[in-house]
């Protein structure tokens, strides 16, 4: 009888796991079909596109390994992506900047020196897959925000690991299933999720799958003990007229409320069990405003020998 029960449980969970993979494949195919069709529809060029003066100014602000989020309201895909931001990328740095931080001749950068010298200084995942892009092409947008992990270059080993984990994703297909647990395919926010493996990024579950969006990347900057900081925000509502906005503007768009003490709070749902007089237990849920607190992971799985290489396959 025990053998039969164990055999039934194995077959039951195997069937469930198989169905989950089948459902994931269907969702991936449908999402891919929709994404490829919607991705072709852009109603105009971005207001920051081909603005050489602004691009030169931006390069003076950007630093290697900055995280960039952007918005393209003129693209059909942006309309269907939940939240404020539609895309995220990793800024690699120019040759001059990489020399300044002592990384230009590092073995992890050396294979990509010629591409970087050609201006391909943005690592990103788009519908065609993960590739290196120029800043000029990336700037076909209306809005840009720069986020930075402070003091990251104090640990050269971790810097090398971030570059390595990022480069290991090159050539992979776009993950229309948006599942952070799969590494055979990558979406833009997943690229950053895996590259910055020592940051405990927030994820949300959709149809049973852990996902991360560009908004999830940005929201962590508003936690207590945040691991990344807001550096710069520009938005252009007309061609060649980018204007500054501050971190409070983005906080509101990400669903935060700004408290009188300057902290960023949002409604958090809490539940607890209440023991009633008749002996029954009732589950009571309520919402309260609070600022999320960032909790750093005790250990990054990417620090284990060979893990990054194994996960990239």
């Amino acid at each position: 009888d025990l053998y039969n029960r164990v055999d039934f449980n194995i077959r039951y969970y195997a069937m469930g796991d198989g169905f989950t993979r089948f459902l994931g494949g269907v969702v991936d195919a449908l999402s891919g079909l929709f994404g490829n069709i919607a991705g072709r529809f852009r109603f105009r060029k971005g207001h920051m596109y081909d603005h050489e003066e602004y691009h030169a100014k931006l390069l003076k602000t950007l630093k290697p390994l900055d995280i960039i989020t952007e918005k393209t309201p003129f693209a059909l895909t942006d309309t269907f992506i939940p939240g404020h931001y539609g895309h995220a990328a990793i800024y690699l740095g120019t040759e001059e900047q990489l020399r300044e931080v002592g990384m230009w001749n590092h073995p992890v950068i050396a294979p990509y020196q010629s591409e970087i010298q050609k201006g391909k200084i943005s690592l990103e995942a788009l519908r065609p897959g993960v590739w290196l892009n120029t800043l000029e092409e990336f700037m076909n947008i209306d809005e840009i925000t720069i986020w930075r992990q402070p003091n990251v270059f104090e640990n050269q080993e971790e810097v090398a690991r971030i570059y390595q984990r990022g480069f290991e994703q090159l050539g992979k297909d776009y993950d229309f299933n948006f599942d952070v647990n799969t590494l055979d395919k990558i979406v833009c926010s997943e690229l950053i999720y895996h590259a910055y493996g020592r940051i405990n990024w927030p994820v949300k579950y959709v149809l049973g799958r852990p996902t991360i969006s560009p908004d999830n990347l940005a929201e962590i900057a508003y936690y207590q003990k945040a691991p990344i900081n807001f550096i710069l925000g520009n938005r252009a509502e007309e061609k060649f007229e980018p204007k500054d906005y501050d971190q409070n503007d983005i906080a509101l768009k990400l669903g935060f409320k700004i408290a009188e003490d300057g902290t960023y709070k949002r409604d958090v749902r809490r539940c607890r069990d209440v023991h009633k007089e008749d002996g029954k237990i009732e589950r009571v849920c309520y919402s309260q405003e609070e600022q999320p607190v960032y909790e750093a992971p005790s250990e990054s799985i990417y620090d284990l020998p060979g893990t990054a290489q194994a996960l990239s396959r």
Side-chain angles (χ1 to χ4, degrees):
D1 183 56
L2 177 61
Y3 174 82
N4 290 333
R5 289 202 302 271
V6 171
D7 181 61
F8 171 78
N9 286 335
I10 292 174
R11 287 187 286 110
Y12 174 80
Y13 285 110
M15 290 174 60
D17 189 48
F19 177 75
T20 300
R21 289 197 299 270
F22 171 75
L23 182 61
V26 171
V27 172
D28 184 54
L30 293 176
S31 297
L33 177 63
F34 173 79
N36 283 319
I37 294 174
R40 294 186 174 92
F41 288 92
R42 292 192 169 218
F43 309 111
R44 56 173 171 82
K45 289 288 188 179
H47 291 323
M48 294 183 176
Y49 184 68
D50 203 24
H51 190 347
E52 294 183 5
E53 181 181 350
Y54 175 72
H55 296 177
K57 178 181 177 182
L58 193 64
L59 278 173
K60 295 180 180 179
T61 301
L62 283 164
K63 292 185 177 181
L65 293 186
D66 278 351
I67 298 169
I68 308 172
T69 51
E70 54 94 317
K71 189 169 181 62
T72 52
F74 52 90
L76 186 59
T77 48
D78 236 46
T79 305
F80 293 98
I81 295 176
H84 180 66
Y85 293 111
H87 183 53
I90 300 172
Y91 177 71
L92 300 176
T94 63
E95 177 181 352
E96 180 183 359
Q97 290 171 330
L98 289 169
R99 287 188 183 278
E100 287 177 358
V101 296
M103 287 297 297
W104 177 247
N105 291 313
H106 193 283
V108 75
I109 297 292
Y112 307 98
Q113 286 180 342
S114 62
E115 295 295 293
I116 293 172
Q117 288 173 329
K118 294 176 184 176
K120 295 185 178 182
I121 51 181
S122 169
L123 176 61
E124 53 188 308
L126 296 168
R127 287 184 301 107
V130 184
W131 64 358
L132 299 178
N133 199 5
T134 64
L135 182 64
E136 288 73 20
E137 287 302 317
F138 179 87
M139 293 302 295
N140 187 15
I141 58 177
D142 282 3
E143 181 177 320
I144 185 172
T145 312
I146 300 173
W147 314 89
R148 184 173 299 155
Q149 184 180 3
N151 306 319
V152 64
F153 279 90
E154 292 180 0
N155 185 343
Q156 291 291 99
E157 290 184 1
E158 175 57 16
V159 167
R161 283 194 290 262
I162 294 173
Y163 277 110
Q164 178 185 352
R165 293 189 293 255
F167 288 140
E168 284 173 347
Q169 313 313 317
L170 281 169
K172 291 185 179 181
D173 292 335
Y174 193 81
D175 182 15
F176 288 103
N177 215 20
F178 305 101
D179 188 344
V180 300
N181 283 342
T182 60
L183 266 164
D184 57 327
K185 299 180 180 181
I186 293 288
V187 75
C188 66
S189 44
E190 292 172 10
L191 173 63
I192 292 162
Y193 174 91
H194 291 295
Y196 296 80
R198 293 186 63 87
I199 294 181
N200 186 20
W201 299 102
V203 297
K204 293 184 178 179
Y205 283 81
V206 179
L207 298 177
R209 299 187 308 275
T211 66
I212 185 167
S213 69
D215 275 21
N216 294 145
L217 298 173
E219 73 177 54
I220 204 172
Y222 297 93
Y223 288 20
Q224 290 184 35
K225 305 177 182 178
I228 64 172
N229 296 334
F230 173 94
I231 300 300
L232 171 142
N234 287 147
R235 182 184 300 124
E237 296 181 357
E238 296 183 16
K239 189 171 179 62
F240 293 171
E241 292 189 12
K243 298 179 180 179
D244 294 337
Y245 59 79
D246 61 23
Q247 58 186 1
N248 289 345
D249 178 271
I250 292 300
L252 297 174
K253 293 183 183 300
L254 295 177
F256 286 91
K257 299 177 182 178
I258 306 171
E260 292 183 358
D261 61 0
T263 58
Y264 301 95
K265 298 183 177 182
R266 63 182 178 188
D267 290 332
V268 177
R269 183 176 173 82
R270 300 291 185 189
C271 296
R272 62 187 179 91
D273 292 330
V274 177
H275 294 264
K276 304 186 71 175
E277 294 181 358
D278 58 5
K280 295 181 179 180
I281 299 177
E282 181 179 348
R283 189 70 168 168
V284 176
C285 296
Y286 57 95
S287 295
Q288 67 179 38
E289 286 187 5
E290 60 183 61
Q291 183 179 27
V293 179
Y294 174 75
E295 296 182 8
S298 56
E299 180 182 21
S300 171
I301 62 171
Y302 290 98
D303 292 337
L304 303 177
T307 303
Q309 291 85 348
L311 287 176
S312 67
R313 291 194 289 267

